[in-house]
Amino acid sequence: MPVVAGVVILLLWMAIKQAFDLHNYILPSPYRILQAAVKERHTLFRSALITLSGAALGFVMGAVFGILGSMIMALSTTFRISLYPYILIMQMTPMAIFAPVLVIWLGPGLPAVTVITFLICFFPIVANTTQGLISVDRNMVDLFRMLNSTRVQEVVKLRLPHALPYFLTGLRIAGSIAMIGGITGDLFAGNASGGVGGLGFMVLVYNAQLKIPELWAAGFSACLCGFLFVSVVLGLNYLLLHKWHDSIIKSDL
Amino acid sequence: MVRIASLHKRYGKGAVILEDLNLEVSREEFVTLIGPSGCGKSTLLKLIASLSPVTAGTLTVAGQSPQAARKSMAFIFQEATLLPWRTVTRNIELPLEMLHVDPGERAETCARMRKLVGLDHVPDHYPRQLSGGMKMRVSIARALSLSPEILLLDEPFGALDEMTRDRLNEQLLQIRAQQKFTAFFVTHSVAEAVFLSSRIIVLAANPGRIHRDMTVPLPYPRSAATRESLEFQRCVSDVSRVLREINPDHP
C-alpha cells in the first residue's frame, strides 16, 4: 500500500508541475532531482555520512546520559522535583539560541553538531525512562523487600527491566528527531573542513548556488538517513521486547 | 510461632486500623483471617511481614522481630506479581538468585518447585502466555523456593474462577502436607476459609479487632470430597452466621 501511495504522490507531483508550468526553481520534477542526486552522489554520500555521524553520536550520547539522568531522577522525589524544570527549560529553548553559543564554546564542526543533537534527543529519553523507573507496581516493590533485596538489586532486576519499554519509546522519539538535530547542527555549526560539509551545510551551499534540484536531493538524503535511524530503533525495540511485552503480540488468528 | 500482644496500627495520623489485637499462632497452623472490608486483615499480614511498621504493642515471629524473621517468610500477593520479562523458570529462581545460590542448585530447586505446582511442561513460557491460575501457581512456586516456615497469602485466588480456585486450594493443601509451613491466609470466601484452615479468625471492622477465634474440626488431608461432607457444610454455615453477627449484609 505505501508503494501505491508513493506512486500516486509522484504522479500528482508531475501533474501539478505540468498543469501550472512551474519552473525548476519553484518545483523541480522528480526525474531532475534523481538526476541531480546521481550527479552529486559522491558529495551527497560524504555529507550524509558527516551529518549521520554527528546525529548518531548525539543520539547515543542522549541515550547514555538519558539513562543516567533518569536513574538520578528516579532516586528521589526531591531530585526529580528540583531537576525537572531545568531539563524542561533546556528542551524548550530553541536550538537557534543554543547553537551560536555552542559554536563559540566548541568551534564549528562535529563536536558542536553532536552536542546540538544530544540536547534535543536527551529530553524524550530522560522523561520516558524516569516514568518507567518510578511506575513500578507497589506489590512488586514489596516482593523485593520481602526478599531483602539491596537497592542495587531492586534497580537492576526490577526497575530497569520495567523501564525498558518506556526507554525504547523515548528512543523512538529521539531517533525520529536526531536527524533534525544533525541538520540543524549543520546549519548553525557546520563547516566544510575537507571539501564537503554535512547535509545541512550543503543545503546552504546549493541554495546559494541556486542548484535547486540538488537542494531537493539533499533533502531526500536527509529523509533516508532519518528512516535509517527509526528502523534501527524499531529493530532494537522488537529484539528486546518481542518475547515478553504486550505491545508486540502475535496475531490471534 | 507468631505472637501478637495488644497490637495497635494506624497509618500516619489516619483512622485506627487495628486495635488491641492479641493472637498466638503455633507452628503448622493454617490460620485464615476473614471479615468485612476495612477490618485490617491485609494490614495484619503486612505487619507480620514487616512491610509496614507496628504502631504500638508487640509482634514477634519465632521469637524475633518481624524484620529479623523475614528470611523465614514468603508473601503471596493478590496478583501473581511475576516479572513479565522472565520465563517461568527464571521467575521461580528469583529469590534464590537474590541470595546468590549457585546456578546448579538453583536449577535443581526450581525444577522441584515446578513439579510441585504442576508446571513441569512450561519452563520457558513467559507470564503473558499463561492463564491466571498458572500464573498464581508460578507465584506459589516462587514463594516456596526458599522453603519458608511461614507463608503469608493475601487473597491469592480472589481473581480466579471458582473451579480454578477449588483446584488450587486442593493443590495448596497437598503442597503443605510436604512442606509443612505455617500459613496466614486472607480471603472473602467462607467456603475457601473452611476448606483450607485449621483455624479461622473472624475480624470486625472500625476499628479492626478480633470478633471470634474459631477452630475448624475437619481432619487433614482434605480433598474435593471434603466439600460434600455434612461436617464441612455445618462449618461453613457456622462461620457465615458469625460473619452475619458483625455484618448484617453478609448472606
Side-chain angles (χ1 to χ4, degrees):
Chain A
M1 284 319 278
V3 177
V4 176
V7 170
V8 170
I9 291 170
L10 275 180
L11 287 175
L12 257 174
W13 180 341
M14 289 194 279
I16 290 172
K17 186 172 162 62
Q18 284 295 318
F20 298 100
D21 193 22
L22 295 172
H23 191 270
N24 270 342
Y25 181 74
I26 307 291
L27 183 71
S29 72
Y31 179 68
R32 266 297 282 124
I33 294 172
L34 194 66
Q35 256 185 339
V38 172
K39 196 176 87 221
E40 295 282 313
R41 61 183 182 279
H42 296 295
T43 313
L44 283 178
F45 185 71
R46 277 170 63 194
S47 36
L49 271 188
I50 290 170
T51 306
L52 211 52
S53 51
L57 276 173
F59 176 73
V60 170
M61 255 174 80
V64 171
F65 284 98
I67 294 173
L68 291 177
S70 60
M71 281 173 80
I72 292 170
M73 302 255 284
L75 215 57
S76 86
T77 323
T78 320
F79 278 161
R80 200 153 56 246
I81 294 171
S82 15
L83 289 178
Y84 199 78
Y86 299 102
I87 293 180
L88 208 60
I89 287 171
M90 201 173 88
Q91 173 70 12
M92 287 188 303
T93 312
M95 266 320 128
I97 293 165
F98 265 125
V101 178
L102 285 170
V103 175
I104 295 171
W105 288 349
L106 302 167
L110 190 63
V113 175
T114 304
V115 172
I116 289 170
T117 312
F118 159 72
L119 285 174
I120 72 163
C121 287
F122 179 66
F123 181 76
I125 296 174
V126 103
N128 276 289
T129 313
T130 306
Q131 189 61 27
L133 287 170
I134 62 176
S135 64
V136 175
D137 181 31
R138 262 311 298 262
N139 283 338
M140 297 273 201
V141 178
D142 278 348
L143 172 77
F144 273 68
R145 283 175 62 201
M146 279 308 287
L147 295 169
N148 288 319
S149 74
T150 61
R151 188 81 184 150
V152 175
Q153 281 175 324
E154 188 187 305
V155 169
V156 172
K157 290 186 197 294
L158 178 62
R159 292 191 184 269
L160 281 178
H162 181 265
L164 185 64
Y166 294 80
F167 166 69
L168 287 166
T169 304
L171 212 57
R172 213 148 60 197
I173 300 169
S176 63
I177 57 179
M179 267 316 275
I180 301 176
I183 303 267
T184 316
D186 283 344
L187 286 175
F188 286 102
N191 67 355
S193 56
V196 285
L199 281 174
F201 189 75
M202 288 321 282
V203 164
L204 290 179
V205 172
Y206 288 141
N207 192 30
Q209 298 173 340
L210 290 182
K211 288 184 172 172
I212 303 308
E214 283 78 359
L215 180 72
W216 282 71
F220 280 110
S221 313
C223 274
L224 274 178
C225 295
F227 267 117
L228 193 70
F229 259 98
V230 174
S231 43
V232 167
V233 176
L234 286 179
L236 194 67
N237 190 61
Y238 180 80
L239 203 71
L240 292 172
L241 298 186
H242 74 104
K243 278 189 177 149
W244 63 272
H245 200 255
D246 282 337
S247 65
I248 304 170
I249 208 146
K250 290 180 193 97
S251 165
D252 286 332
L253 297 174
Chain B
M1 192 72 188
V2 173
R3 188 164 284 152
I4 297 170
S6 36
L7 179 85
H8 289 257
K9 172 67 186 174
R10 63 196 297 187
Y11 287 107
K13 294 215 178 302
V16 177
I17 309 286
L18 292 168
E19 191 178 60
D20 196 24
L21 212 74
N22 293 286
L23 182 64
E24 212 158 302
V25 173
S26 27
R27 195 171 287 277
E28 286 181 39
E29 274 193 279
F30 197 117
V31 180
T32 290
L33 307 166
I34 197 168
S37 359
C39 69
K41 45 196 191 301
S42 292
T43 301
L44 185 54
L45 281 197
K46 287 210 161 132
L47 294 181
I48 298 172
S50 84
L51 288 174
S52 185
V54 169
T55 308
T58 53
L59 194 169
T60 58
V61 178
Q64 296 171 293
S65 74
Q67 177 76 40
R70 219 186 226 172
K71 279 193 289 296
S72 59
M73 293 190 270
F75 204 111
I76 295 177
F77 299 87
Q78 247 166 63
E79 288 100 38
T81 59
L82 303 179
L83 305 181
W85 51 87
R86 284 175 172 242
T87 60
V88 167
T89 301
R90 301 258 298 129
N91 261 294
I92 297 174
E93 277 185 349
L94 179 75
L96 299 159
E97 205 180 292
M98 304 273 249
L99 293 176
H100 306 291
V101 174
D102 73 80
E105 197 183 326
R106 221 152 68 193
E108 193 187 309
T109 311
C110 178
R112 210 171 63 237
M113 288 303 133
R114 276 206 321 269
K115 200 164 287 173
L116 193 67
V117 297
L119 285 173
D120 232 4
H121 56 299
V122 289
D124 299 322
H125 279 50
Y126 285 85
R128 74 167 183 194
Q129 298 168 285
L130 305 176
S131 68
M134 285 163 103
K135 280 185 204 159
M136 200 33 92
R137 268 144 66 193
V138 178
S139 190
I140 293 171
R142 178 180 63 192
L144 294 175
S145 65
L146 293 178
S147 320
E149 289 176 55
I150 298 177
L151 201 57
L152 305 159
L153 305 102
D154 188 4
E155 280 188 72
F157 310 133
L160 303 176
D161 64 274
E162 202 170 334
M163 271 162 58
T164 310
R165 177 194 278 226
D166 285 352
R167 217 177 42 246
L168 283 175
N169 283 171
E170 289 150 29
Q171 278 184 341
L172 184 61
L173 286 188
Q174 282 160 19
I175 292 168
R176 198 172 82 100
Q178 299 174 41
Q179 298 249 327
K180 306 279 181 205
F181 48 80
T182 309
F184 285 84
F185 192 94
V186 166
T187 182
H188 277 113
S189 156
V190 175
E192 186 175 53
V194 172
F195 181 76
L196 290 173
S197 337
S198 59
R199 185 174 170 193
I200 297 177
I201 310 284
V202 181
L203 293 161
N206 300 319
R209 60 200 182 275
I210 293 177
H211 179 72
R212 276 281 282 281
D213 187 344
M214 307 170 80
T215 312
V216 180
L218 305 167
Y220 292 100
R222 299 172 190 173
S223 67
T226 310
R227 288 199 190 89
E228 287 157 28
S229 71
L230 210 60
E231 192 69 13
F232 178 82
Q233 303 291 349
R234 192 175 304 130
C235 287
V236 169
S237 54
D238 279 352
V239 176
S240 296
R241 189 174 341 100
V242 173
L243 270 171
R244 257 198 312 277
E245 290 169 12
I246 48 167
N247 183 0
D249 295 326
H250 200 276

